[in-house]
Amino acid sequence: MAYWFHERIVEVHRLPLFCFFVALITAFVFTRVNVRLIRARVRWLGNVSVGEMHIHHVVFGVVLTLLGGVAGLVLSDVSTGWYAFSAAVFGVGAALVLDEFALILHLRDVYWQEEGRTSVDAVFVAIAATGLLLLGLRPLAWSGADGRGGWTASAFLFVNLVFAMITVLKGKIWSGLLGLFVPPLLYVGAVRVARPGSPWARWCYSERARRPRPRLMAKAIHREERWRRPVIRAKIAVQEFVCGRHDLPAPALPAPHHRRRVVSPRPRAGADHPGRPWRSGRPRPR
């Protein structure tokens, strides 16, 4: 194991990427465990607040991402160890930011709502892409002899980008992202029928299209119900096992206890108070 790590990670200068990968997964798992315990009302855990303002962990993620990124730029030529450490700090910050990606996208707190699954998808995409990079794959890499190819390499990259765009527009996000590393997935995704709710289906299949294709739309709906739905249910089950339910409302927190302010009644005009005249207008005798 040590020999494999030294040969595949250290000698090929992937140690910073490996530290980023491990820190990303570890910080994400720790964060999810922490927030699930907070939601379960564990006594020794609680949200971070300043006064009455709740501080989301995306704030700490932005700070750590900035620190790790700047430190990596400074320490990249100083020491491999310090460079790997800065990459780990960057990975922790990236995990905290991506864990609340849905909050950034919707500009409201949807952490435990159905829209909050977008954050889990973003983290899974980041983990998958980083893992493929660790395996030595490169996005849209040209494998020509010694990197030579000239116009052929440029045309190859351009064609793959076009296929990737078509695949994403057809609603096949995972095929489009993974296809950047494995191009055959792009070709299959671009040729097959689009998903019914994708932009491609609205533009080319629906009744609003210039040339509606009801048969293709019916075929897309049938494939969605027959093949896609079970895969989505399995993915949601994995997400709920790792991250908790996202379609249930968060339990209401108990109302904070405030001290009741005792306000003295406002004195009436002409009442018997020191320094004030009587109703008759004469000063009070001492």
Side-chain angles (χ1 to χ4, degrees):
M1 187 67 182
Y3 175 76
W4 176 88
F5 181 81
H6 188 270
E7 181 184 5
R8 296 297 182 90
I9 302 297
V10 178
E11 289 186 356
V12 293
H13 308 289
R14 295 176 189 164
L15 182 60
L17 184 62
F18 176 80
C19 293
F20 170 83
F21 181 69
V22 174
L24 177 67
I25 297 178
T26 304
F28 172 68
V29 173
F30 177 80
T31 302
R32 280 290 168 168
V33 171
N34 186 37
V35 296
R36 291 183 71 175
L37 290 178
I38 292 175
R39 196 170 190 235
R41 306 280 184 85
V42 177
R43 293 182 179 181
W44 59 83
L45 292 175
N47 294 315
V48 179
S49 302
V50 176
E52 297 182 355
M53 180 175 62
H54 169 61
I55 305 298
H56 292 272
H57 51 267
V58 66
V59 178
F60 303 100
V62 171
V63 175
L64 291 176
T65 302
L66 181 61
L67 291 177
V70 174
L73 295 175
V74 175
L75 301 174
S76 58
D77 297 330
V78 175
S79 171
T80 304
W82 283 109
Y83 186 29
F85 176 76
S86 65
V89 174
F90 187 83
V92 174
L96 295 177
V97 172
L98 292 177
D99 189 53
E100 292 201 315
F101 177 78
L103 183 146
I104 303 174
L105 180 64
H106 297 278
L107 293 179
R108 56 190 178 90
D109 191 0
V110 293
Y111 196 87
W112 290 117
Q113 300 178 17
E114 186 175 358
E115 294 87 349
R117 293 175 182 161
T118 309
S119 300
V120 186
D121 291 334
V123 175
F124 284 0
V125 168
I127 292 175
T130 309
L132 292 174
L133 290 173
L134 273 177
L135 294 177
L137 300 177
R138 294 294 179 267
L140 300 177
W142 168 249
S143 58
D146 299 331
R148 296 189 297 268
W151 289 104
T152 305
S154 301
F156 178 79
L157 295 178
F158 177 76
V159 169
N160 283 344
L161 283 175
V162 172
F163 275 102
M165 186 179 301
I166 294 175
T167 304
V168 172
L169 288 176
K170 285 191 173 184
K172 305 170 184 179
I173 306 300
W174 277 101
S175 298
L177 294 175
L178 296 179
L180 296 177
F181 299 89
V182 186
L185 294 177
L186 296 178
Y187 312 147
V188 175
V191 172
R192 291 176 63 85
V193 179
R195 297 186 60 187
S198 64
W200 190 277
R202 293 197 302 268
W203 298 338
C204 303
Y205 303 163
S206 66
E207 298 178 354
R208 298 180 180 180
R210 180 175 298 180
R211 297 178 59 184
R213 299 179 180 180
R215 294 183 60 184
L216 286 180
M217 178 61 78
K219 185 178 181 180
I221 295 175
H222 174 72
R223 288 188 175 183
E224 185 79 9
E225 296 293 336
R226 179 71 181 274
W227 305 106
R228 183 76 180 179
R229 294 298 180 185
V231 175
I232 293 178
R233 286 194 294 266
K235 185 192 74 169
I236 292 176
V238 174
Q239 288 181 346
E240 292 180 352
F241 175 76
V242 177
C243 308
R245 292 287 300 271
H246 285 81
D247 55 350
L248 293 178
L253 297 177
H257 297 283
H258 296 286
R259 292 184 178 180
R260 184 177 180 182
R261 296 180 59 186
V262 179
V263 181
S264 59
R266 188 175 179 181
R268 296 177 301 172
D272 187 9
H273 287 278
R276 291 181 180 271
W278 285 358
R279 291 175 183 253
S280 60
R282 293 179 299 176
R284 187 179 62 176
R286 298 185 182 275

